[in-house]
Amino acid sequence: MSQYLVELCTLLIDDLYGELSSQVFSTIARLGRQPLAGLVRHSNLSARHLKHGLVVLIQQHLALHYTSELDGVTYYEANWQHAYNLVRSGKIIKFVEDRFGEKAGGIISNLLLLGHTKVSDLSDAYGVANKKANSGAELKHVNGNGISNGNGLTNGNALTNGDGLANGVDEAHDASKTESHIDSRGQLHSLLYQLLHSGWIVPVREPHFWPQAEHNNEAEVFVISTHFEGKVPKGPKKVAEFARLVKERKRKTRDESLEIPQMNGITGSKRYGSSAVQPSKRIKINGTGFARTNGYSDADHLQDEIQLDLKQGDLVVRVNHEKCNVASRTEQLTRLAARYVGETTSKVYEALLRVLEEQTPRCYDEFADNDQEDPDIVDASPLVTAQAVAEAIDPNIDLTDGLQEDSNHVNRVNGNASAEIEENDQGLSGHSLEDVNKRRRLVDQHIRLLSEDPRHFTHWVSSRGMSQWKVDFPRLAQVLIQTEIEDTVTARHERMGTRLIRILHSKGKLDEKQVSNFSMTPPKTIRSTLTGMQEAGFVETQEVPKDTSRQPSRTMYLWFYDQQRCRQLLLTDTYKAMARILQRIKVERAKVQTVIDKAERTDVVGHEEQYLSKMERQALRDWSQTEEKLLIQLGRQDDLVATLRDFIGPLNS
């Protein structure tokens, strides 16, 4: 962990879980893998305080632990990925609410607060342990952890503003109302199953608390005992085979831990709420999940539909942060498409990406088999049809916007549309065949626009009765990274710097004269820009001597651009900026802490005009505006981290 990443994670934990937990995390992050005795020896905390801090960190998956079978000693290690993900808590809630409704967002909010919990404890906390409706239930406690108020929030910072970040108390009251709408255990289980099926929450297993080294050791021991007769492999071929089998073992162990529990089947009747938005197709339990209308699932309207099978022991669940990366990638690719292709086409692209989300558990698979013989293979992402996108997109969007009608193109795109509609019209019963045909054709035209763009947002695969498309996510992640780097260079070195970056990225290493020729700019003009970018770390030079004398006059100086280096540079700067933003929020809050404490008193809440002076109310308004601006900037910095780090894997990949 870098210095600024440790500082950022420590500040996040301090803000949410207190000074003790942040000190324990900082100690583990600084020392690395240590037993309890080592932590006591190298910190100023007693064993009792360390244990209290470790309990909180383990409950929140901020610390990993493993007990050795040889000596029985438990070793602890910092889980910096989950510590950083604390900054994304609000975004995760926002993503889930957009896709599955507010009730699902309330469940995610409580799971984020609690780290992990049993489904039975969650049912008890909602007051739906029995199937009788209890619309007035409030979340009081889950898994033995008390919650300070009925809305299940701590420090007033568990919910979000428009940018998916923690902000204020008003959203907390809204969350309390949302949570109270879960009326029965069947409805709660329906939402939980939907989140499990889509990958937003996952079952918790003991290996989830192990450090990465223990997973690797377990896989190596298993492979040696089962494939190599207990002997360590030797020789290039056996070593390569051993590495492949270890990777397969770790991938299998990971995937098995994410399996969805069995169902007890459908309980109760299908009945819908009074919402004006009715589902457009029937429920599919064993298919791709629940049908969605305008981004909301049928589970928003269903009650007493599903009951999770808990016969094999109570199910423990937690939030899957990898799915947040997938949703964030969808959001950023949609913005990129809107920037270059148009607003309506970008909405079609967003619907396409959301359909693919159901089949995409993570952005980057560290255990994937990358040994592909055919270099022209786009990637292993699933296929999506224009019909599926047409069913998923908001019907209120005018798909004719941005398109020019072409009868010949329409006939080519349509193909065997009539047969296709008759075969798949169960979800489109509310529309005529002509309307369905036209809508699917327009969607297909928008997707073709996306594929024809120089960035190739989509790739055509086949037209087996319907158009099939694929998205090259790894290459698009590289496009997003390059776009962020170019935007940063433009802000610091204007358009000339961006032009030079693009030339070096495209052509490789060039001397000054060649850079001048490709940019069609005099050498004197580009020299200062190149020097400034070199000092900032965006470009580098390589000395190539022409002879053994190595005299400067007999040396070529080649300019080059290293994307990986720039990626690491920006990532480090972003961690530092985020840490400074959190520190700034603390400082600004301290200035009005007295007024905030007074405003949060139970006798003052709701009677601010009576108990707070005009100056105090103005101070609170100023603080709220300042906090909102800082949190918005923090969210933008997090988007940059997701682009540079999470969409394509480690920097050395």
Side-chain angles (χ1 to χ4, degrees):
M1 296 177 64
S2 66
Q3 170 190 350
Y4 297 116
L5 179 57
V6 173
E7 183 180 3
L8 172 61
C9 293
T10 303
L11 288 170
L12 289 169
I13 294 173
D14 180 73
D15 183 57
L16 292 174
Y17 305 111
E19 184 178 358
L20 176 60
S21 298
S22 66
Q23 286 186 16
V24 175
F25 179 86
S26 177
T27 302
I28 301 175
R30 174 170 50 87
L31 297 177
R33 179 187 176 95
Q34 288 286 332
L36 181 62
L39 296 176
V40 173
R41 185 166 57 252
H42 293 93
S43 69
N44 297 326
L45 300 173
S46 64
R48 177 172 173 271
H49 287 138
L50 280 168
K51 289 179 180 178
H52 281 297
L54 286 170
V55 167
V56 176
L57 296 179
I58 292 173
Q59 173 71 23
Q60 301 295 332
H61 294 261
L62 302 175
L64 304 172
H65 63 93
Y66 182 80
T67 302
S68 174
E69 296 180 357
L70 298 177
D71 53 12
V73 177
T74 301
Y75 294 87
Y76 301 94
E77 189 174 307
N79 188 358
W80 67 265
Q81 290 94 339
H82 276 254
Y84 176 84
N85 285 331
L86 291 175
V87 79
R88 296 177 175 170
S89 297
K91 285 186 177 179
I92 296 175
I93 300 171
K94 182 175 180 292
F95 286 146
V96 172
E97 287 181 347
D98 290 343
R99 287 158 175 78
F100 307 109
E102 294 181 351
K103 285 174 283 189
I107 293 175
I108 291 293
S109 175
N110 291 312
L111 289 177
L112 287 170
L113 176 69
L114 300 165
H116 63 273
T117 187
K118 294 180 180 179
V119 172
S120 61
D121 289 339
L122 198 61
S123 299
D124 292 339
Y126 273 107
V128 293
N130 298 319
K131 293 184 62 177
K132 297 179 180 179
N134 184 6
S135 60
E138 291 183 346
L139 186 61
K140 297 297 184 183
H141 67 279
V142 176
N143 204 21
N145 292 295
I147 297 177
S148 57
N149 51 25
N151 52 42
L153 304 179
T154 57
N155 300 328
N157 286 326
L159 286 184
T160 68
N161 58 16
D163 294 271
L165 295 170
N167 188 23
V169 179
D170 293 336
E171 293 87 350
H173 294 298
D174 294 339
S176 180
K177 296 176 183 178
T178 299
E179 293 164 9
S180 66
H181 292 168
I182 296 180
D183 302 323
S184 64
R185 182 176 62 180
Q187 188 182 46
L188 176 63
H189 284 200
S190 296
L191 290 168
L192 288 173
Y193 176 74
Q194 186 181 8
L195 294 172
L196 281 165
H197 191 281
S198 59
W200 283 94
I201 62 176
V202 293
V204 177
R205 306 284 190 266
E206 183 181 356
H208 289 162
F209 296 93
W210 293 357
Q212 187 61 39
E214 307 306 334
H215 288 280
N216 191 70
N217 292 338
E218 187 275 338
E220 289 181 352
V221 171
F222 177 83
V223 170
I224 290 175
S225 62
T226 56
H227 294 83
F228 295 93
E229 299 179 352
K231 299 179 181 179
V232 178
K234 297 181 179 179
K237 292 185 178 180
K238 287 189 176 181
V239 169
E241 178 71 7
F242 174 71
R244 183 184 65 81
L245 292 173
V246 168
K247 180 186 290 188
E248 289 181 358
R249 172 64 181 175
K250 290 193 289 187
R251 179 172 61 240
K252 182 179 179 181
T253 301
R254 180 199 63 192
D255 294 342
E256 287 178 349
S257 67
L258 301 179
E259 289 182 354
I260 304 175
Q262 296 180 350
M263 311 298 294
N264 275 340
I266 297 178
T267 62
S269 60
K270 298 179 183 178
R271 52 185 190 271
Y272 296 87
S274 59
S275 172
V277 181
Q278 297 298 328
S280 59
K281 60 189 297 186
R282 60 186 176 87
I283 300 300
K284 296 190 295 182
I285 298 300
N286 296 320
T288 58
F290 292 89
R292 291 189 304 277
T293 303
N294 299 335
Y296 291 94
S297 68
D298 289 342
D300 292 333
H301 309 281
L302 286 173
Q303 298 180 15
D304 299 340
E305 282 293 331
I306 294 174
Q307 181 179 350
L308 295 176
D309 186 1
L310 307 178
K311 293 180 180 179
Q312 303 301 324
D314 207 347
L315 177 66
V316 181
V317 294
R318 68 172 175 85
V319 174
N320 181 18
H321 292 90
E322 288 184 321
K323 202 68 176 182
C324 176
N325 296 336
V326 178
S328 181
R329 182 177 64 184
T330 295
E331 189 177 70
Q332 295 201 36
L333 287 176
T334 301
R335 287 202 297 261
L336 188 68
R339 176 177 176 181
Y340 291 105
V341 187
E343 187 66 27
T344 303
T345 305
S346 71
K347 292 178 181 178
V348 175
Y349 193 43
E350 181 181 19
L352 183 149
L353 293 174
R354 288 199 179 188
V355 172
L356 289 177
E357 280 183 14
E358 298 179 357
Q359 309 171 61
T360 309
R362 59 189 58 83
C363 290
Y364 168 75
D365 188 355
E366 60 179 327
F367 305 131
D369 187 4
N370 298 320
D371 299 331
Q372 295 178 348
E373 296 180 359
D374 187 358
D376 295 329
I377 295 179
V378 175
D379 68 319
S381 60
L383 301 177
V384 62
T385 63
Q387 175 189 348
V389 178
E391 293 178 0
I393 196 170
D394 187 349
N396 297 320
I397 296 177
D398 182 9
L399 295 176
T400 60
D401 186 20
L403 291 178
Q404 292 183 354
E405 198 71 24
D406 182 356
S407 58
N408 294 328
H409 178 67
V410 168
N411 293 331
R412 291 197 304 272
V413 171
N414 192 25
N416 300 323
S418 299
E420 177 189 340
I421 295 171
E422 292 177 1
E423 180 181 357
N424 300 281
D425 64 351
Q426 61 180 357
L428 303 169
S429 57
H431 305 277
S432 66
L433 294 180
E434 182 179 355
D435 292 340
V436 172
N437 183 13
K438 180 179 178 181
R439 189 165 186 82
R440 185 183 297 111
R441 171 172 51 81
L442 293 174
V443 166
D444 194 87
Q445 289 185 12
H446 281 287
I447 300 176
R448 289 181 183 273
L449 286 178
L450 291 164
S451 67
E452 293 167 0
D453 184 84
R455 281 148 288 276
H456 300 293
F457 292 102
T458 59
H459 288 270
W460 180 82
V461 178
S462 66
S463 57
R464 301 172 183 174
M466 62 188 78
S467 298
Q468 292 181 320
W469 303 87
K470 182 178 284 190
V471 178
D472 185 0
F473 287 115
R475 189 190 56 78
L476 288 175
Q478 293 284 2
V479 172
L480 286 171
I481 291 173
Q482 184 63 23
T483 301
E484 292 291 353
I485 293 175
E486 290 178 3
D487 290 345
T488 303
V489 171
T490 301
R492 299 183 185 182
H493 303 281
E494 301 181 344
R495 295 179 63 93
M496 176 57 68
T498 306
R499 182 193 299 181
L500 298 179
I501 284 288
R502 289 175 177 172
I503 291 172
L504 294 175
H505 185 50
S506 174
K507 303 298 181 180
K509 297 179 180 179
L510 302 173
D511 62 18
E512 187 179 88
K513 184 177 180 180
Q514 291 174 316
V515 175
S516 175
N517 292 335
F518 282 116
S519 64
M520 295 182 291
T521 308
K524 292 183 179 179
T525 304
I526 67 172
R527 192 171 297 141
S528 60
T529 303
L530 285 172
T531 302
M533 288 196 296
Q534 182 188 22
E535 293 175 353
F538 292 110
V539 297
E540 297 293 331
T541 57
Q542 180 179 356
E543 299 180 6
V544 181
K546 296 180 179 179
D547 52 34
T548 57
S549 64
R550 297 184 177 274
Q551 295 295 325
S553 59
R554 300 289 299 169
T555 302
M556 296 177 59
Y557 296 91
L558 302 180
W559 295 93
F560 68 94
Y561 161 75
D562 186 351
Q563 188 188 76
Q564 292 291 78
R565 174 179 169 82
C566 292
R567 182 181 167 197
Q568 179 64 70
L569 178 68
L570 289 183
L571 193 58
T572 302
D573 288 346
T574 305
Y575 289 148
K576 182 178 180 180
M578 294 177 73
R580 298 297 176 265
I581 290 173
L582 291 175
Q583 291 174 338
R584 182 70 178 180
I585 291 175
K586 270 191 171 184
V587 171
E588 294 295 332
R589 176 187 286 271
K591 294 179 181 179
V592 292
Q593 189 62 53
T594 304
V595 182
I596 293 175
D597 292 340
K598 182 178 179 181
E600 291 178 349
R601 282 167 35 188
T602 55
D603 59 326
V604 177
V605 174
H607 304 86
E608 288 81 1
E609 294 289 337
Q610 179 180 354
Y611 291 103
L612 297 180
S613 65
K614 183 177 181 180
M615 292 183 61
E616 289 174 334
R617 294 196 299 271
Q618 183 62 41
L620 287 176
R621 283 192 292 268
D622 293 343
W623 153 244
S624 178
Q625 294 175 1
T626 301
E627 183 189 36
E628 182 178 2
K629 292 177 181 177
L630 291 172
L631 290 175
I632 289 174
Q633 184 61 32
L634 187 66
R636 292 172 178 171
Q637 297 292 321
D638 176 57
D639 290 340
L640 182 57
V641 171
T643 301
L644 297 174
R645 188 192 68 190
D646 298 331
F647 295 167
I648 201 170
L651 291 171
N652 56 2
S653 60

